Amino acid sequence: MKTEFSLAQLADPDIAQADKILRACVHCGFCTATCPTYVLLGDELDSPRGRIYLIKEMLEKDQAPTSEVVKHVDRCLSCLACMTTCPSGVNYMHLVDQARVRIEQRYQRPIAERLLRRVLAFVLPDPQWFRISMRLAQLARPLAVFLPTPRPAATPGLIQRLKAMLALAPNRLPTPGALPGSVFAALGKKRGRVALLQGCAQQVLAPRINQAAISLLTRHGIEVVLVKDERCCGALTHHLGHDDDALSRARANVTAWQKEAAGEGLDAILVTASGCGTVIKDYGYLLREDAAFAADAAKVSALAKDITEYVAGLGLEPSARQDNIVVAYHSACSLQHGQKITGLPKELLSKNGFVVKDVPESHLCCGSAGTYNILQPELAGRLRDRKVANIASVKPDMIAAGNIGCMVQIASGTSVPVVHTIELLDWATGGSRPELNASR
């Protein structure tokens, strides 16, 4: 794709990167076939190729974003299926993230939407505030029936988004998990030492996931540490366009993890929420222009691994096979498209005794996508229903996924138990049976 940035514009590292990304695009349109919003809406501007044109024009002309640009960029899930499909290697992720930052900085959203986005950016990355918000949502949930039904609109209104938030709130919250700073000793001969990302929403909604990871890891000789000064990975605010906040969290985590690595050492930083893992693996890019953090950020990105990547090297052996349990494996977008981890989780489940079934249209997003199911509830609901119908077609006993957002989204549309891959692997190798849909 031909670009027309001035030399002055290209002096900006972000614009220079955008120019490189845009020039890689050859207009082929392969991305449209795998883009969830294009599949649903059939609008070229709701495809990666269409959004690329809009972003190109906005950046080249150094314009403030128009309402049309904002509408179509907001509808993007950042599922990154287009990057898996693209034969030219266009890094759409970095381009759309740059567009979101510009929208946040230069576009004046309606006051109600600005307020909602600020609340989400404040509450979701903080487990204490998130827990409080879930308690309040539980109290407010019965009142949702009194909210008026909004008229269909191109951009969802506040009432529709509030209804979506209340619908996603769990019926009850589990007991909190281990505290930051906790260290879990390896059982038997010590084989390694890892940091386990504690997460934000996950530690409130499903602490059982990390508990299962700790159980499996320590039983296989791995010492696990929950780093005390760790913060939210920054994914949620990053995708809301709050760049300064996201980078601040990234710097804090780089500092905390590098300190831990320099102390007693770390073989890896393990992540059980693939949405977080995709961003942490990108810290090296996000902080590439920060002289004080670039080198350490690259080291942290190199240490980061999805939990399945690490346990695959531990030589798991099932202690009790579950040959009669059919598991539908949902491949989270952040895992299959963002981190290019596709077959490994299924192989681990199969080798450890489960009957694993592929889900039709597995490349399409479930509609969770961070805050997408709140900010774009109508589209998210359609994607969830499509995903649930595809899952139902394989008649599973359980659904396994590697991302808490996907788990909550899918569980809101089915009665089939939804569990994390690591919970099943822990169970198969001597751990406890997963608590099925414990938070619903």
Side-chain angles (χ1 to χ4, degrees):
M1 179 180 290
K2 182 181 178 182
T3 58
E4 296 179 352
F5 292 107
S6 68
L7 291 176
Q9 286 177 304
L10 292 171
D12 180 333
D14 288 331
I15 294 297
Q17 186 65 25
D19 179 66
K20 180 180 178 182
I21 295 168
L22 290 166
R23 284 178 176 272
C25 179
V26 296
H27 317 267
C28 68
F30 285 1
C31 56
T32 60
T34 57
C35 174
T37 50
Y38 183 78
V39 168
L40 289 183
L41 303 173
D43 186 338
E44 172 74 13
L45 295 180
D46 283 314
S47 74
R49 183 171 61 180
R51 293 185 182 107
I52 285 172
Y53 280 119
L54 292 174
I55 295 168
K56 174 182 179 291
E57 183 177 20
M58 176 180 67
L59 295 180
E60 277 184 342
K61 296 182 179 179
D62 197 21
Q63 295 175 332
T66 65
S67 59
E68 187 74 359
V69 170
V70 172
K71 179 179 74 173
H72 295 294
V73 170
D74 281 354
R75 285 179 178 173
C76 175
L77 295 118
S78 278
C79 70
L80 309 181
C82 54
M83 289 178 59
T84 296
T85 310
C86 180
S88 303
V90 175
N91 196 318
Y92 176 82
M93 177 175 74
H94 290 157
L95 186 67
V96 77
D97 285 344
Q98 189 176 148
R100 289 195 173 107
V101 172
R102 178 161 293 218
I103 289 169
E104 183 63 23
Q105 293 173 345
R106 300 194 188 184
Y107 183 75
Q108 187 81 339
R109 295 181 185 274
I111 187 168
E113 185 170 359
R114 292 204 309 273
L115 180 61
L116 175 61
R117 285 172 172 267
R118 287 174 184 172
V119 169
L120 292 174
F122 176 76
V123 169
L124 291 178
D126 187 309
Q128 291 183 332
W129 279 109
F130 184 62
R131 181 174 290 277
I132 292 170
S133 74
M134 289 296 96
R135 297 291 189 199
L136 293 174
Q138 288 170 339
L139 294 174
R141 202 171 181 177
L143 304 177
V145 295
F146 298 108
L147 291 173
T149 301
R151 296 176 181 176
T155 300
L158 181 61
I159 291 175
Q160 191 176 0
R161 287 165 170 164
L162 288 175
K163 282 188 167 185
M165 291 172 67
L166 294 176
L168 287 168
N171 293 324
R172 66 182 181 88
L173 290 176
T175 303
L179 294 173
S182 300
V183 178
F184 299 87
L187 302 179
K189 183 180 179 181
K190 182 177 175 180
R191 300 167 61 189
R193 187 175 193 270
V194 300
L196 182 65
L197 181 76
Q198 294 151 76
C200 303
Q202 180 175 290
Q203 67 173 280
V204 175
L205 297 173
R208 69 181 198 271
I209 294 172
N210 273 5
Q211 289 167 0
I214 292 166
S215 169
L216 182 148
L217 290 166
T218 54
R219 199 167 56 250
H220 287 81
I222 307 300
E223 182 177 283
V224 181
V225 57
L226 307 182
V227 177
K228 186 175 183 180
D229 296 325
E230 177 187 290
R231 297 177 65 188
C232 167
C233 69
L236 288 166
T237 52
H238 178 58
H239 294 306
L240 286 169
H242 296 191
D243 208 35
D244 290 342
D245 180 273
L247 294 180
S248 174
R249 295 178 188 279
R251 292 186 186 99
N253 284 336
V254 168
T255 299
W257 288 327
Q258 280 293 89
K259 181 180 178 181
E260 189 68 38
E264 295 189 48
L266 290 176
D267 301 314
I269 299 164
L270 302 187
V271 187
T272 53
S274 61
C276 302
T278 300
V279 169
I280 294 170
K281 288 182 176 183
D282 206 37
Y283 274 5
Y285 173 84
L286 295 175
L287 294 171
R288 69 195 183 285
E289 297 296 327
D290 189 327
F293 282 89
D296 285 345
K299 291 177 183 176
V300 163
S301 290
L303 278 175
K305 292 183 182 296
D306 183 75
I307 186 72
T308 56
E309 289 182 285
Y310 189 80
V311 302
L314 296 181
L316 303 184
E317 292 186 8
S319 58
R321 295 187 65 84
Q322 311 295 338
D323 296 306
N324 60 332
I325 295 180
V326 176
V327 175
Y329 175 71
H330 165 70
S331 190
C333 296
S334 46
L335 201 57
Q336 64 167 316
H337 303 308
Q339 299 182 48
K340 308 302 180 190
I341 299 172
T342 53
L344 181 59
K346 293 184 288 186
E347 290 170 13
L348 284 168
L349 289 169
S350 181
K351 287 178 180 178
N352 285 278
F354 297 97
V355 179
V356 182
K357 294 291 183 72
D358 283 319
V359 176
E361 293 188 327
S362 61
H363 63 283
L364 286 182
C365 184
C366 67
S368 172
T371 58
Y372 193 90
N373 51 5
I374 295 172
L375 296 175
Q376 300 287 338
E378 193 271 335
L379 291 174
R382 290 170 65 182
L383 288 170
R384 180 203 62 193
D385 294 346
R386 187 171 181 143
K387 179 65 67 176
V388 167
N390 279 320
I391 289 171
S393 71
V394 303
K395 298 179 172 58
D397 299 307
M398 294 183 182
I399 303 164
N403 188 55
I404 182 64
C406 303
M407 293 170 65
V408 171
Q409 176 78 346
I410 293 169
S412 70
T414 181
S415 60
V416 179
V418 185
V419 298
H420 195 284
T421 306
I422 199 66
E423 294 183 89
L424 294 179
L425 295 176
D426 177 49
W427 179 30
T429 57
S432 301
R433 182 186 176 97
E435 296 179 45
L436 305 180
N437 285 7
S439 65
R440 299 306 302 171

